[in-house]
Structures are given as structure tokens and as C-alpha cells.
Amino acid sequence: MMAVRCMPRRVVVTGLGAMSPLGAGTDSLWEGLLAGRCGIRPLTGAEFAEHPVRIAGTVPVDLAGLLPPPRARRMNRGALLAVTAAREAWRDAGFCAGGTRDSGLDPDRVGVSVGTIIGGAGVLVEGARRLRDRGARAVPPLTAPMTVPSQAASQISLDL
């Protein structure tokens, strides 16, 4: 994740943030890369027992501590990680933690762009399982919004 300042006819990268299989934050990422560590590891959770491939590069963090629970419950895993990386990039760029207004920026001149091809696939799968096993009333109302690819960018925008 990068924080950028838009200047006439150019964009300047001013801050970095990362959530990677090598750890939380750019320091963990750089240290891991320089040490030659690999972030690919076995998937040990019971939810992976039936999968034919059980190795992946997952971010080794406890999601529960990233954001306050009321905010976190409205986001899929990818959006939680994206907001955390964006906050790091924002701070690294020297901006105030409170976002654009607290940093003296015009929110209309700040944008968020996140590239992804899928939203919260795990949320979608869990919603389908609940629908099949327990019926429509068992599917949380935020299931659909948590599956859209734009959720990470939306949540970063709301946060900062």
C-alpha cells in the first residue's frame, strides 16, 4: 500500500505500508526479504483439511486486534488488511492518524485506488453454507457488501 500526494502532472509516493506473508508492516516485509525468508507455509486450519493444495502465502496476523470490533465486523479479511496497510502508509507519509481533515487536506483532492479481482470470497462461501444449512435468516445482512471487490478501497476511503 502506498500513500501518494498528487501534484500537477505527477504523483509522488510519500509513504509505504504493507501486510504480507512475511509479517505486518513494511519493516517486517523488508527484513524478511533481506533475510531471504519465504512467506509460503502450510495451511494448518481445519477449514483447509479438504483442500487438495494446503500451502499458501497468508498474512500471519490476528485480525481481531487490527481495528475496533464494530468496524472490523463490517469488513472482509482483505479490507481489514488493506485498511491497516493504508494507515501505515498514511503515517509514513507524515499525515495525522485522523485522516484527511485532521491532516489539513481537502478530502475532495484525495483518492483511493485498490486493484483486486475478487472481494471477500470466504464471506461469500460462508454465506452460501449458512443459506444451505440453516436458511435465509442465518445469512448476515452485510454478506453481500462484504464480498464486493471495491470493499477495500471503500473502507480505506471511509477510514482516512
Side-chain angles (χ1 to χ4, degrees):
M1 193 65 57
M2 297 183 292
V4 296
R5 289 188 181 160
C6 294
M7 310 293 249
R9 299 188 187 143
R10 63 183 175 156
V11 173
V12 179
V13 175
T14 59
L16 300 174
M19 296 296 282
S20 80
L22 294 174
T26 55
D27 288 344
S28 295
L29 175 61
W30 291 124
E31 289 167 12
L33 290 172
L34 292 174
R37 284 198 304 273
C38 178
I40 307 301
R41 57 183 66 80
L43 298 171
T44 57
E47 68 270 26
F48 303 111
E50 301 292 321
H51 289 269
V53 176
R54 289 185 298 276
I55 59 168
T58 61
V59 180
V61 297
D62 179 13
L63 295 179
L66 294 181
L67 292 173
R71 291 268 336 271
R73 281 192 293 271
R74 298 176 178 272
M75 292 185 224
N76 63 49
R77 178 180 173 82
L80 277 166
L81 296 174
V83 167
T84 303
R87 284 180 170 189
E88 181 186 17
W90 191 259
R91 284 188 312 272
D92 189 50
F95 294 121
C96 296
T100 53
R101 292 194 198 286
D102 289 353
S103 297
L105 300 172
D106 177 0
D108 292 334
R109 299 202 30 90
V110 177
V112 175
S113 177
V114 175
T116 183
I117 59 168
I118 193 165
V123 175
L124 184 61
V125 170
E126 176 62 17
R129 187 190 62 74
R130 285 179 179 218
L131 180 63
R132 181 193 68 226
D133 294 348
R134 299 191 329 228
R137 292 197 183 276
V139 179
L142 292 175
T143 298
M146 289 175 63
T147 63
V148 297
S150 63
Q151 197 196 37
S154 297
Q155 292 296 334
I156 292 168
S157 180
L158 289 168
D159 191 66
L160 296 173

